[in-house]
Amino acid sequence: IMLDLVLASGDRIGLNYAYMNLAQLTSDGVLTLEFTSARVIITGRGLLTLYNNILTHHAYRIEASATPFDDNSSEVWVKSLVVEEKE
């Protein structure tokens, strides 16, 4: 099972759940996912729901908002989604 990451630019990256070795949600609202080949840093609202879905492999797509404005139309809003490749 792969996790589909959709960046604000529209670019997409698929990362395999089997290679995730850490999911961390900090008290300041930053969700970090560590894969063997990449680190994913997510900010936004409602990230506890997203975190729980990731832990159970029920999250199939994480999509960064195309605008910087949160209209509260969904349970989870991703303000930023950054993928850092590891060497």
Side-chain angles (χ1 to χ4, degrees):
I1 298 174
M2 295 193 80
L3 182 60
D4 180 24
L5 304 173
V6 184
L7 306 178
S9 66
D11 291 348
R12 299 175 90 117
I13 299 169
L15 294 171
N16 194 319
Y17 263 114
Y19 296 110
M20 184 188 318
N21 54 23
L22 173 79
Q24 178 183 32
L25 179 60
T26 62
S27 60
D28 60 345
V30 177
L31 177 57
T32 303
L33 309 176
E34 293 277 350
F35 294 83
T36 55
S37 62
R39 173 181 293 123
V40 180
I41 302 167
I42 302 166
T43 62
R45 177 185 50 74
L47 296 182
L48 179 58
T49 298
L50 179 57
Y51 173 78
N52 287 328
N53 285 328
I54 288 167
L55 291 184
T56 58
H57 294 195
H58 285 113
Y60 297 104
R61 177 182 301 128
I62 302 173
E63 189 167 346
S65 176
T67 83
F69 305 106
D70 178 8
D71 63 5
N72 290 311
S73 64
S74 62
E75 185 175 357
V76 176
W77 176 68
V78 176
K79 179 179 180 179
S80 70
L81 173 59
V82 176
V83 179
E84 301 172 347
E85 290 189 33
K86 294 182 178 179
E87 300 208 9

